[in-house]
Amino acid sequence: MFAVKLDAFSGPLDLLLYLIRKRELDVFDIPIAEITEQFLLFIDALEALNLDTIGEFLCLASVLIEIKSFQALPTEEEKTVEEIEEPRKDLVVQLLAYRKFCENAGLLEERGRRWQRRYPRLANDIPAKTRNLAQEPIQEVELWDLVGAFGKILREKSPVFRHAMKREDTPLSVHIQRVYCRVRQESVVNFTQLFDNASDKATLIGIFLAILELTRHGYLHVEQPLAFGDITVSYRENSAPLDALNLKELPLGLAQAG
């Protein structure tokens, strides 16, 4: 199975904080049932991608399910209430600490940008660093927005899947070239339309990874004008030729449960 390893997948707390922020919820009063349902939907998409760190997401999912199951029990006894509050309290503490970490990281990044503008480097003896677009985060649309949209596509197309194992021989480089050519030709394409002709799970994954690679390397621009609205994929004018992306280093194919 083809495994995905991207620094942009920060971890389960990042996903949980995204769900809370997206729905404008209170960290101190998380609707466990709603959040658990949404969290598990994202895990389905991550499992399809065979993400290297999926175990961390499953661990947090088990905590959410545990809290949810306790809430379903009668709460007359004080002991039961304490059992519910303890894991919830620990989860809130972790979320607040992670949110503070993200906020401080953002402040440091912004401070660094201000210092670069205020104190330009005058010495020219240091060679200029090349810009590595692959190391930069996806802007405008969060990665979790794309994963959520991809998960919805997987659920909609799930009835056509079979359980027999087979080998998908289409290289990822081919999916990248197809997505690149289509978006360049049409200028702007709806995210879901890029999956219209896909009939098996491996092809869906290949197209999704192609979109991620092209976006991270600066060939495509993704945006979501409205919250929970459609995501559009557009071609970046004046981007480098596709030959600049070393397609030979990409995997040859994806093994899938068809």
Side-chain angles (χ1 to χ4, degrees):
M1 176 69 76
F2 180 67
V4 183
K5 186 175 183 179
L6 296 175
D7 294 336
F9 289 100
S10 301
L13 285 178
D14 191 65
L15 171 56
L16 187 57
L17 194 61
Y18 161 82
L19 293 174
I20 292 172
R21 185 178 67 252
K22 199 75 172 177
R23 287 158 179 77
E24 300 180 349
L25 302 175
D26 184 1
V27 175
F28 294 96
D29 188 23
I30 304 172
I32 294 296
E34 177 185 351
I35 287 296
T36 302
E37 180 181 355
Q38 294 296 320
F39 195 89
L40 292 176
L41 289 177
F42 273 82
I43 284 185
D44 289 341
L46 295 178
E47 284 183 323
L49 294 172
N50 195 26
L51 194 67
D52 288 349
T53 57
I54 188 64
E56 300 175 11
F57 291 88
L58 293 174
C59 182
L60 181 54
S62 66
V63 174
L64 292 173
I65 293 173
E66 180 184 12
I67 299 174
K68 179 182 177 182
S69 63
F70 273 125
Q71 287 183 333
L73 297 174
T75 59
E76 289 82 2
E77 299 182 9
E78 183 178 350
K79 182 179 179 181
T80 306
V81 176
E82 292 176 355
E83 289 175 342
I84 296 174
E85 291 302 324
E86 191 61 31
R88 177 194 286 269
K89 181 180 178 181
D90 291 342
L91 182 60
V92 170
V93 170
Q94 293 181 56
L95 274 174
L96 291 175
Y98 182 77
R99 186 173 68 178
K100 187 66 175 178
F101 171 82
C102 292
E103 291 173 351
N104 290 338
L107 291 174
L108 290 174
E109 185 177 356
E110 178 59 29
R111 183 179 298 178
R113 285 195 291 264
R114 291 201 304 266
W115 273 82
Q116 287 178 351
R117 293 194 296 265
R118 187 177 302 176
Y119 300 102
R121 184 183 295 276
L122 300 179
N124 56 5
D125 56 334
I126 301 178
K129 294 183 179 180
T130 57
R131 184 182 178 189
N132 189 353
L133 293 173
Q135 299 298 324
E136 298 182 8
I138 295 175
Q139 302 296 329
E140 284 80 29
V141 173
E142 292 188 53
L143 181 62
W144 294 121
D145 292 318
L146 292 176
V147 174
F150 176 63
K152 182 179 179 181
I153 291 172
L154 284 177
R155 292 190 296 274
E156 291 175 349
K157 291 181 175 287
S158 60
V160 302
F161 296 158
R162 302 186 184 91
H163 293 289
M165 295 297 296
K166 69 176 183 179
R167 179 77 184 181
E168 170 57 49
D169 295 325
T170 304
L172 182 56
S173 59
V174 172
H175 290 299
I176 288 178
Q177 290 171 332
R178 289 174 179 171
V179 172
Y180 173 83
C181 291
R182 178 174 177 181
V183 178
R184 184 176 182 180
Q185 180 180 9
E186 300 182 24
S187 297
V188 180
V189 183
N190 189 292
F191 178 80
T192 57
Q193 291 177 341
L194 292 171
F195 300 86
D196 284 347
N197 297 325
S199 59
D200 58 81
K201 196 171 185 178
T203 302
L204 292 172
I205 295 174
I207 294 173
F208 179 67
L209 295 180
I211 296 171
L212 287 185
E213 286 296 316
L214 289 168
T215 303
R216 292 171 61 240
H217 286 277
Y219 294 95
L220 304 180
H221 172 78
V222 292
E223 60 181 348
Q224 189 177 33
L226 299 175
F228 306 104
D230 292 336
I231 295 175
T232 59
V233 182
S234 58
Y235 174 70
R236 282 188 182 272
E237 298 293 340
N238 302 320
S239 58
L242 188 60
D243 296 340
L245 182 60
N246 193 353
L247 300 180
K248 293 182 179 180
E249 294 184 356
L250 296 173
L252 294 178
L254 309 177
Q256 73 145 65

